[in-house]
Amino acid sequence: MMAVAMAGFSMNDATTKYLTADMNFGQVMLVRGSISAVLVFALAWYQNALRPVSVLFKLPVALRVLGEIGGTATFLAAITHLPLANVSAIFQSLSLAITLGAALIFGEPVGWRRWLAIAAGFIGVLIVVRPGAEGFNQFAVLALISVGFCVVRDLATSRIPKEVPSVFVTLLTTFVVTIVGGFLIVPLGGWTPISGRSMGFLLLAAVLVLIGYQCVIIALRAGEISAVAPFRYTQLLWAMLLGYLIFGDAPDGAMILGAAVIVGSGLYAFHRERIRNRDQLLSAKASALPTEGV
C-alpha cells in the first residue's frame, strides 16, 4: 500500500508542478481538492463510512489534518521552484524523522546503530540542501519544513482509533486542505482562468491524490511505522524519472550523493528494526515454552 501511495503521489506531484506554470498552487489545492472531496465522499458513502464531523476534534485526527495542511502547502511551494528529484530526495528523510519522532514522543526503543543511521540520514539531507553553498535554494527549507509537518501527520495517523474508517479520515483531510487552498489563492496572486486541458490534468491529479491518501492511511494503520516507512523510498525513483522525462531535470552529483546517503541510512535503520523485531519474537516464543520438568 505504501509503494502504491508513493507512485500515486509522485505522479500527482509531477502533474501539479506542470500546472503551477499556469496557476498558483493555492488554486491547484482548491480545484484539485474539490474534485477529490467529491470522489472521496462518494466512496465513503458507498462504504457506509460517513461519521459525524465531530470526529475531526479527536486529537489524533485533528493533528493529522493540521500536519497535512502544513505539509501540502510547503511541499507545493517547494516543488514549484525546485526540481522534483531534489524535493523528493529531501523527503526521503521522512522515514528517519518518523523513527526519531516515534522514539522521542512514543518512547519506541531505538538502538545506537539506528541513532547513527538517523544522524547519517540528516547529513545526507544537508548534502542535498547545501546550506551556504552556491547551489543552495531557499525553497529547500520549505521542503524540510514540509517533512516536519508530515512527521506530525504520520505519527498522528498511527494513533487514530480503529473505529474511525480510513476513508472518512481521508475525506476530512481532503475537505480541510481544499478550504485552506481557497484562502491561499488571493495572497499567491489571484485566480487564473482554467482551460479544458488544465481541468483534465486537475482531474487526474485529484484521482492520484485520492489513491495516495487512501493507501498511505491503510499502510500506516495496518502495519508498524518502522516497517512501512522505508517503502517511501520508491518515491525517489519515480521523482527522478518523471522529473527528467517531463521537465528535463537531470540530478546533479550532490543530489545523487545526498540521496544515496539518506536512502542507505534509512534502509539500514529498517534492517536493524527487523532484527530487533525478530529477536523480540524469538524471545517471546521462548518465554512461552513450558519450563523443564512441567
Side-chain angles (χ1 to χ4, degrees):
M1 287 295 101
M2 184 63 79
V4 172
M6 293 305 102
F9 282 139
S10 297
M11 294 177 188
N12 164 72
D13 295 341
T15 304
T16 301
K17 181 176 176 64
Y18 181 79
L19 287 168
T20 53
D22 299 322
M23 65 189 76
N24 63 66
F25 66 81
Q27 185 172 341
V28 173
M29 288 172 64
L30 175 64
V31 181
R32 182 189 68 182
S34 298
I35 300 171
S36 295
V38 172
L39 295 174
V40 178
F41 179 83
L43 180 61
W45 178 80
Y46 176 77
Q47 294 182 354
N48 196 28
L50 294 176
R51 297 292 185 272
V53 179
S54 58
V55 170
L56 181 61
F57 299 103
K58 291 181 180 291
L59 183 59
V61 178
L63 287 175
R64 176 190 159 72
V65 171
L66 290 174
E68 188 67 53
I69 291 171
T72 299
T74 51
F75 181 81
L76 291 179
I79 65 170
T80 300
H81 299 89
L82 288 172
L84 276 179
N86 289 56
V87 178
S88 181
I90 294 171
F91 241 75
Q92 301 318 304
S93 65
L94 180 58
S95 63
L96 293 170
I98 289 173
T99 300
L100 175 62
L104 296 178
I105 298 173
F106 299 147
E108 292 188 7
V110 176
W112 65 269
R113 293 180 181 86
R114 284 201 293 157
W115 282 118
L116 288 179
I118 291 171
F122 287 116
I123 290 174
V125 171
L126 292 177
I127 295 174
V128 175
V129 174
R130 284 167 275 186
E134 184 178 349
F136 171 73
N137 188 312
Q138 65 271 24
F139 289 99
V141 177
L142 287 178
L144 287 172
I145 294 173
S146 184
V147 169
F149 276 117
C150 290
V151 169
V152 174
R153 177 197 67 191
D154 290 354
L155 291 178
T157 300
S158 68
R159 290 301 189 267
I160 293 176
K162 296 295 184 182
E163 64 268 17
V164 180
S166 296
V167 68
F168 188 67
V169 177
T170 303
L171 177 61
L172 290 175
T173 303
T174 305
F175 181 72
V176 177
V177 170
T178 300
I179 293 175
V180 172
F183 283 111
L184 291 175
I185 291 176
V186 173
L188 292 174
W191 181 268
T192 301
I194 303 176
S195 66
R197 183 167 176 269
S198 294
M199 183 57 72
F201 280 116
L202 284 165
L203 178 60
L204 173 63
V207 173
L208 292 169
V209 166
L210 171 60
I211 293 172
Y213 275 162
Q214 189 66 7
C215 289
V216 78
I217 289 174
I218 292 172
L220 289 170
R221 296 183 70 181
E224 294 182 5
I225 292 178
S226 58
V228 299
F231 288 91
R232 292 182 183 276
Y233 295 134
T234 58
Q235 186 176 19
L236 179 58
L237 300 177
W238 283 104
M240 293 175 67
L241 177 63
L242 294 172
Y244 179 74
L245 293 178
I246 299 174
F247 305 105
D249 294 329
D252 59 17
M255 198 288 292
I256 294 175
L257 174 61
V261 173
I262 296 168
V263 173
S265 302
L267 291 176
Y268 179 74
F270 173 58
H271 170 67
R272 293 302 310 174
E273 176 67 10
R274 294 295 296 271
I275 290 177
R276 185 181 71 86
N277 291 340
R278 183 195 63 192
D279 291 345
Q280 288 180 342
L281 180 61
L282 292 175
S283 177
K285 288 182 177 179
S287 62
L289 293 176
T291 57
E292 186 175 352
V294 175

